[in-house]
Amino acid sequence: MAVGIWTVAEKSDYISLLSSRIYAVSAYILIVAGIIVMITGVLGCCATFKEQKGLLRMYFVLLLFIFLLEVLAGVLAYVYYQQLNAELKENLRETMVQKYQQKNEEHITKAVDKLQQEFKCCGSNSSSDWSSSAWVRSGEANGRLVPDSCCKTMTVECGKRDHPSNIYKVEGGCITKLENFILDHLKIIGAVGVGIACVQIIGMIFTCCLYRSLKAEPY
């Protein structure tokens, strides 16, 4: 649950730059599974202390449900891991040049500025991407060639000068930085999902053993 909340809360800006929702869905699945785990833990304690087969059956079903959720999160993370590069190449540049500083796209603007400052990059593939920006071409940029967030030292209208001494000129642009960042987090989500799923298997085995050891409930 902690990994899911961390992904959604701290990395939500970057999620808005992705056309697919698989990354976010994987995180939400972990959150839901975490909540159910806490509820299941309480139920498991009650079932064990009271030695009630009915509660144990419910506990087993919840463990199975958590197992399936965790496996699903791991599978989604793996699938998205395989297709992330193609998605970013196809959509990231278009998102940046068409939606940056546009009406009702404030979340995209915030995400792009954070991306360029945090990863010290400029543009999807290179700083020259910004020459096609709807914002730059409209004249609303006030003479800026790139957003101020491209600057090594960010000040108002520093983007008017796109010399390498002033802005980040990173080989591969922001697309490489963002891809590596998300891939690393997909590994974490996948590992947590599959890892906890394995723990649930052990829990289900112990539950079955305990269930068989209890006397039949009186009717």
Side-chain angles (χ1 to χ4, degrees):
M1 184 172 67
V3 171
I5 292 175
W6 170 62
T7 300
V8 173
E10 295 295 323
K11 315 303 173 185
S12 59
D13 289 331
Y14 299 142
I15 291 175
S16 66
L17 296 176
L18 304 174
S19 59
S20 173
R21 308 308 298 172
I22 296 179
Y23 181 57
V25 168
S26 299
Y28 284 122
I29 288 176
L30 290 184
I31 295 174
V32 171
I35 294 172
I36 298 175
V37 163
M38 291 192 293
I39 298 173
T40 303
V42 175
L43 180 63
C45 289
C46 294
T48 303
F49 288 126
K50 294 185 177 182
E51 297 186 348
Q52 292 185 4
K53 282 193 168 185
L55 287 178
L56 277 177
R57 284 193 292 266
M58 188 182 299
Y59 179 65
F60 180 86
V61 170
L62 286 174
L63 283 182
L64 180 60
F65 183 62
I66 294 168
F67 170 77
L68 295 175
L69 279 179
E70 297 291 354
V71 169
L72 178 60
V75 170
L76 286 176
Y78 176 78
V79 170
Y80 195 52
Y81 188 94
Q82 303 300 315
Q83 68 183 50
L84 178 62
N85 181 268
E87 179 190 315
L88 288 178
K89 285 183 178 179
E90 182 178 344
N91 298 303
L92 183 60
R93 182 182 181 280
E94 195 69 15
T95 298
M96 292 176 75
V97 300
Q98 296 298 329
K99 296 184 178 182
Y100 184 80
Q101 290 290 4
Q102 300 303 300
K103 187 177 181 180
N104 300 323
E105 299 290 356
E106 291 80 8
H107 61 295
I108 296 293
T109 300
K110 179 183 177 183
V112 170
D113 285 336
K114 182 178 179 180
L115 174 67
Q116 296 189 143
Q117 276 292 296
E118 188 170 320
F119 293 117
K120 303 183 188 310
C121 57
C122 184
S124 177
N125 300 295
S126 68
S127 59
S128 61
D129 289 341
W130 287 110
S131 62
S132 303
S133 168
W135 171 64
V136 171
R137 290 187 169 187
S138 68
E140 295 178 2
N142 294 325
R144 292 180 180 86
L145 300 175
V146 295
D148 293 340
S149 56
C150 280
C151 299
K152 295 177 179 178
T153 302
M154 189 173 168
T155 56
V156 178
E157 296 190 350
C158 63
K160 289 183 176 180
R161 182 169 169 266
D162 62 353
H163 191 272
S165 63
N166 183 51
I167 68 171
Y168 295 113
K169 295 278 189 177
V170 180
E171 184 177 351
C174 292
I175 190 171
T176 302
K177 299 276 190 175
L178 181 59
E179 180 183 4
N180 291 335
F181 170 81
I182 295 178
L183 287 178
D184 288 340
H185 283 78
L186 284 174
K187 290 177 184 178
I188 295 174
I189 291 175
V192 169
V194 174
I196 295 182
C198 293
V199 176
Q200 303 309 321
I201 294 176
I202 298 174
M204 287 187 284
I205 292 173
F206 279 124
T207 302
C208 290
C209 294
L210 180 58
Y211 183 87
R212 289 184 177 183
S213 68
L214 296 179
K215 295 179 180 179
E217 294 178 341
Y219 291 97

